[in-house]
Amino acid sequence: MKNKVLFINPPQSCSANLKYNSLKFPLGFLYIGGILEKNGFQVKILDCPVYYKKRIKINEKTIKIGLFPEDIEREIKEFQPDIVGVSCAYTAYELDSFEIIELIKKINKKILIVVGGAHVSANPEYVLRNKNIDLAVIGEGEETILEIAKKHGKKSLKEIKGIGFREKNKIKINSRRERIKNLDENKAAWHLIDMSLYFKHPDNSIATMRSPSVDIFTSRGCPGNCVFCSIHTVWGRAWYGRSAKNIVDELEFLNKKYGVRQFRIFDDNMTLDRKRTIGICDEITKRKLDISWDTPNGVAFWTLDEEKCLAYYYNRLL
């Protein structure tokens, strides 16, 4: 029997003044879940912060937003995962991740706990000071998690590329895994989340022209060397993009199946490839998709020219 994998995005500690947290679709989990399902594994995603009405008062200044510990414990006991992947994407939420990891180990010490995310990739040695963590995934997670799932309980995991772990009280960091060059090969498993929870979240309609809206990405990385940017700790300096057809296939699927009308493209450098950028706009126009899109991370001005700007601004405001 193949391993069952549960992914958890922990509840978030926030200011007590917040009515709700900011909304992020768990894109990393959706893509990793897609490749695991394609290889016959059973996958479940528990995105705790999307349950924004659930909140616990920590002190006068802090609340925790998301599923309660008893909710998480119930899900773990019902699903009985062999592996639990815990998101540790931001330094500010590290302790939230650690609390969930401690809870998991109390429920079942045999569960393999794997952590990943930008915070982990940037400083895996620091994160691995938590002795409850079995493995840290550094960089892209799809192929690394797949190899972990295939080998867990059968072969040693210590030689897997792109991981860090503890051995005899020493932290070891393996060599980085090669980047995924063909991003068209794996699709996000959107069916693994309840889309209605995200559409009903108050933050889903803020700063958007049309609802409902979702987050997507069309490329990974950026070759730039901006001093303020830390994304290179995750992706390195190579850029890889999905094809225009593959991107618009996903836009059309989400539009027709879930009624999505606006897309937030969270690329680090969406417009790097001139031909691809114009191709995306042309493909949307050709299919007559009634959608809008925006780029919350902005676009790199040095990648733009007059034709690309016209295609970009005309198309995204249709």
Side-chain angles (χ1 to χ4, degrees), residues 45-276:
I45 294 175
L46 198 59
D47 189 10
C48 300
V50 77
Y51 297 88
Y52 69 95
K53 291 183 179 180
K54 288 179 175 281
R55 50 185 57 213
I56 299 173
K57 183 178 179 181
I58 305 301
N59 53 50
E60 292 301 317
K61 294 183 178 181
T62 308
I63 58 171
K64 193 180 289 288
I65 294 178
L67 292 179
F68 299 147
E70 55 266 32
D71 298 322
I72 299 168
E73 182 174 355
R74 184 176 61 252
E75 292 284 351
I76 291 172
K77 288 182 176 179
E78 287 180 0
F79 188 60
Q80 296 185 351
D82 303 286
I83 302 169
V84 175
V86 179
S87 173
C88 192
Y90 302 100
T91 306
Y93 299 134
E94 182 193 67
L95 293 181
D96 293 328
S97 299
F98 285 179
E99 287 179 13
I100 294 303
I101 289 165
E102 183 178 0
L103 174 65
I104 296 166
K105 283 298 185 185
K106 286 180 179 178
I107 295 169
N108 185 350
K109 291 183 179 180
K110 293 182 180 180
I111 293 175
L112 184 76
I113 296 181
V114 182
V115 296
H119 175 57
V120 178
S121 295
N123 200 344
E125 294 92 348
Y126 185 74
V127 174
L128 282 167
R129 74 190 188 281
N130 186 321
K131 295 181 181 180
N132 285 319
I133 296 171
D134 295 303
L135 299 175
V137 172
I138 304 163
E140 282 176 305
E142 287 97 328
E143 293 182 354
T144 304
I145 293 288
L146 177 61
E147 187 174 354
I148 291 169
K150 285 181 174 180
K151 289 184 176 180
H152 178 50
K154 301 171 185 176
K155 298 180 180 179
S156 172
L157 307 178
K158 294 179 182 179
E159 303 303 319
I160 294 175
K161 287 186 177 181
I163 67 167
F165 58 94
R166 299 178 67 91
E167 186 176 49
K168 296 179 180 179
N169 292 322
K170 291 185 178 180
I171 294 174
K172 295 191 174 183
I173 306 297
N174 289 351
S175 60
R176 284 247 180 175
R177 184 177 292 271
E178 296 78 8
R179 288 281 305 279
I180 299 171
K181 296 181 174 61
N182 185 358
L183 297 179
D184 287 3
E185 288 184 346
N186 191 34
K187 295 181 180 180
W190 291 98
H191 60 275
L192 289 175
I193 59 174
D194 181 351
M195 296 290 274
S196 66
L197 290 174
Y198 297 83
F199 293 162
K200 292 175 183 177
H201 193 289
D203 196 47
N204 187 265
S205 59
I206 290 180
T208 58
M209 294 176 284
R210 310 169 80 179
S211 292
S213 59
V214 302
D215 304 340
I216 66 164
F217 82 84
T218 75
S219 66
R220 293 180 181 179
C222 177
N225 194 27
C226 301
V227 295
F228 58 82
C229 184
S230 63
I231 197 62
H232 306 302
T233 60
V234 181
W235 305 122
R237 298 198 181 277
W239 179 95
Y240 296 107
R242 297 163 59 190
S243 67
K245 179 183 182 303
N246 178 269
I247 294 162
V248 182
D249 282 347
E250 182 176 39
L251 302 185
E252 187 171 26
F253 165 76
L254 290 168
N255 174 251
K256 291 183 176 179
K257 184 171 179 63
Y258 298 107
V260 177
R261 302 179 67 213
Q262 173 128 358
F263 297 87
R264 294 182 292 271
I265 301 177
F266 273 96
D267 293 21
D268 297 298
N269 198 330
M270 187 257 180
T271 53
L272 182 67
D273 185 327
R274 180 179 184 279
K275 183 178 179 181
R276 191 192 77 124

